Amino acid sequence: MFIQIFGTGGTLDKLYHDALSDYQIGEPMAGELLEQGRVSIGYAVESLIRKDSLELDDADRQLIHDKVAACPYEHVLITHGTDTMTVTGACLEDIQGKVIVLTGAMQPARFRDSDALFNLGLAVGALNTLGHGVYIAMSGRVFPADQVKKNRLAGRFEST
Amino acid sequence: MFIQIFGTGGTLDKLYHDALSDYQIGEPMAGELLEQGRVSIGYAVESLIRKDSLELDDADRQLIHDKVAACPYEHVLITHGTDTMTVTGACLEDIQGKVIVLTGAMQPARFRDSDALFNLGLAVGALNTLGHGVYIAMSGRVFPADQVKKNRLAGRFEST
Amino acid sequence: MFIQIFGTGGTLDKLYHDALSDYQIGEPMAGELLEQGRVSIGYAVESLIRKDSLELDDADRQLIHDKVAACPYEHVLITHGTDTMTVTGACLEDIQGKVIVLTGAMQPARFRDSDALFNLGLAVGALNTLGHGVYIAMSGRVFPADQVKKNRLAGRFEST
Amino acid sequence: MFIQIFGTGGTLDKLYHDALSDYQIGEPMAGELLEQGRVSIGYAVESLIRKDSLELDDADRQLIHDKVAACPYEHVLITHGTDTMTVTGACLEDIQGKVIVLTGAMQPARFRDSDALFNLGLAVGALNTLGHGVYIAMSGRVFPADQVKKNRLAGRFEST
């Protein structure tokens, strides 16, 4: 198994710039997290977009769609902001012949107490075992992408 | 889905005792790791044994077997030392009607750079998606428990 | 030695609220950091203000001044945003009979790679050894508060 | 100020070798810790010995003594196991014209909850402010090296 990882931004990749007194979205953390996970599988990481997912527009989603569709690998992992993860998931439903898993984080990966490393593990577990389709791996669960919503208040993903 | 977690010791749970100038195996870390993963699934953690897996004997494996067999839940996660994880996995092959996933860590969960959190995510991803059987989730992969070995020198699990 | 700690906010105490997609200043982290430092000295932590230091106004500084002046302990540690730490330091110069050390962080204490824990250690080292006066402990150095400025571009404190 | 750091081993530098199922003392962590502390002071790190401090012998202490005495810098920081830190401190009392601070850790620096980063900050705070002499910086306090003992049971350093 070889995993193509596409980074699209979101909380997972947020860092803090002291000189701006603000957070920004940095380079994808997915590669570092897989290294920490001591994975023996091959993977490549490509940064497509660096936005909060509330700011993603149609052109951004078209780019994500086209990159996934054109990717030569069967297994695709997308790191994504949580607020519109299901919207992007819906855009990818027409892509055939691939296992596509989206994940993200409620706390930036650079935080000591972040869920990012767990979520990457969860997503890689799903990629190991699932057939073709689009899935969301969050909150310790793996959902078909069209059967899940984010409960923003409760801070978790739930079945629809 | 409800996950019954059994802790059996191993590197994952190692802590450091200054007064002994030595490491010891502490209480199972699995619950804290699932909290960090912000899981919305239910789970219970029970500590069965606190040993390096090289020190597990037949009586220990019988205990693990009996506890898993008697457990009322379908989904079972076992945290275990890596050196004899496959031996324990083989002992559980006769148990019917359960999804059993073993995982562990190459570095203690208390280390900043530990693979423990990733591996727990990987195992929970496998529990979400797999049918009945015994599996090992390590090195970013999910293996049937009878088709994997640890390559101690390389520090990873591989297909046999 | 007993240390009275006053929290005034700043980067050190920033946490991330997923539901807001934004960072906020939380309760003071100083107590947790001193626990991690396994200190055997006594201390108390009181939260005075929770602001970015760029937003502190004259009334805030008057409050800090009055609290420090009224504090019954000789040793006072103030956690503070870095951008106007020297301004607050200047306001405290008239207070007699106390060792006052201000510190903060370039990265939130909740980050894995934060300088917060080091800076608290630096400040406590200064409190152990210095005579009465107002000091700033940042960038691995201890400065008299009236002989230091922040170099925002370089991300460090320097002698004036 | 320029700080010469000598690493002598101890808990602070312990890492975990999965292939040995055991901990070993690695390269000095002091440089990484000072980087995390965003220090603007210059420093050099030299590894002299990599032992648990209970295993240090007279030849080791002679080496430490000679290296410190021959060092061209006024400020010297020694990272050291805690169990015999005071013994080594006593050996250095005859060295003139230097500020020498010993520190270490109760938990390895690689642990998430380690006191190592705080203790390095504490030691650097002491180096910034103290006159010539030999000191031990532990437990949130800075002691003259001949007026302190480790209370192993309580896990802290105390005045004699």
Side-chain angles (χ1 to χ4, degrees), chain C residues 134-139 141-149 157-160, chain D residues 40 128:
Chain C
V134 186
Y135 307 91
I136 285 181
M138 287 294 295
S139 304
R141 300 180 61 187
V142 181
F143 306 89
D146 59 354
Q147 299 172 29
V148 58
K149 65 175 194 299
F157 281 72
E158 302 172 338
S159 292
T160 50
Chain D
S40 65
N128 268 273

Side-chain angles (χ1 to χ4, degrees), chain D residues 1-5 41-45 73-76:
Chain D
M1 187 171 68
F2 184 96
I3 301 177
Q4 174 65 52
I5 302 172
I41 48 177
Y43 62 88
V45 181
Y73 301 107
E74 187 182 2
H75 295 92
V76 178

Side-chain angles (χ1 to χ4, degrees), chain D:
Chain D
M1 187 171 68
F2 184 96
I3 301 177
Q4 174 65 52
I5 302 172
F6 291 119
T8 69
T11 294
L12 192 143
D13 289 332
K14 284 190 180 167
L15 43 76
Y16 187 76
H17 274 291
D18 174 73
L20 303 171
S21 294
D22 205 0
Y23 288 83
Q24 286 199 318
I25 294 173
E27 286 295 312
M29 294 289 290
E32 289 181 42
L33 295 170
L34 265 62
E35 290 305 304
Q36 183 165 351
R38 274 78 169 169
V39 305
S40 65
I41 48 177
Y43 62 88
V45 181
E46 182 177 352
S47 176
L48 300 184
I49 304 164
R50 285 161 61 172
K51 289 190 181 177
D52 230 288
S53 77
L54 291 170
E55 295 168 15
L56 291 173
D57 59 26
D58 289 350
D60 294 323
R61 292 208 163 81
Q62 189 64 48
L63 171 66
I64 296 169
H65 178 279
D66 294 351
K67 279 288 197 171
V68 173
C71 157
Y73 301 107
E74 187 182 2
H75 295 92
V76 178
L77 171 56
I78 301 172
T79 60
H80 197 286
T82 56
D83 285 314
T84 68
M85 192 183 280
T86 58
V87 180
T88 301
C91 290
L92 304 172
E93 292 283 357
D94 69 308
I95 298 175
Q96 303 297 310
K98 293 194 186 301
V99 192
I100 303 166
V101 179
L102 296 97
T103 194
M106 307 303 278
Q107 294 284 319
R110 288 173 178 82
F111 272 45
R112 294 218 270 184
D113 187 44
S114 175
D115 52 331
L117 186 63
F118 183 89
N119 291 346
L120 265 286
L122 188 75
V124 171
L127 284 165
N128 268 273
T129 55
L130 288 170
H132 296 164
V134 185
Y135 308 91
I136 284 181
M138 287 294 296
S139 304
R141 298 181 61 187
V142 181
F143 306 90
D146 58 355
Q147 299 172 29
V148 58
K149 65 176 194 300
K150 180 178 176 185
N151 180 331
R152 193 175 166 95
L153 195 63
R156 66 169 177 255
F157 281 70
E158 302 171 340
S159 293
T160 50

Side-chain angles (χ1 to χ4, degrees), chain A residues 67-116:
Chain A
K67 279 289 198 171
V68 173
C71 158
Y73 301 107
E74 186 182 3
H75 295 91
V76 177
L77 171 56
I78 301 173
T79 59
H80 197 286
T82 56
D83 285 313
T84 68
M85 192 183 280
T86 58
V87 180
T88 300
C91 291
L92 304 172
E93 292 284 356
D94 69 307
I95 298 175
Q96 303 297 312
K98 292 195 187 301
V99 192
I100 302 167
V101 179
L102 296 96
T103 194
M106 306 303 279
Q107 294 284 320
R110 287 173 178 83
F111 271 46
R112 294 219 271 184
D113 186 43
S114 175
D115 51 332

Side-chain angles (χ1 to χ4, degrees), chain C residues 9 11-12 78-82 85 102-107 115-116 119-120 137-138:
Chain C
T11 295
L12 192 142
I78 301 172
T79 59
H80 197 286
T82 56
M85 193 183 280
L102 296 97
T103 194
M106 307 303 279
Q107 294 284 318
D115 51 331
N119 292 347
L120 265 286
M138 287 294 295

Side-chain angles (χ1 to χ4, degrees), chain B residues 65-122:
Chain B
H65 178 279
D66 293 351
K67 279 288 197 172
V68 173
C71 159
Y73 301 107
E74 187 181 4
H75 295 92
V76 178
L77 171 56
I78 301 172
T79 59
H80 197 286
T82 57
D83 285 315
T84 69
M85 192 183 281
T86 59
V87 180
T88 300
C91 291
L92 304 172
E93 293 283 358
D94 69 308
I95 298 175
Q96 303 296 312
K98 291 193 188 301
V99 192
I100 303 165
V101 178
L102 296 96
T103 194
M106 307 303 279
Q107 295 284 320
R110 288 174 177 82
F111 271 46
R112 295 218 271 186
D113 187 44
S114 175
D115 51 333
L117 186 63
F118 182 90
N119 292 346
L120 266 285
L122 187 75

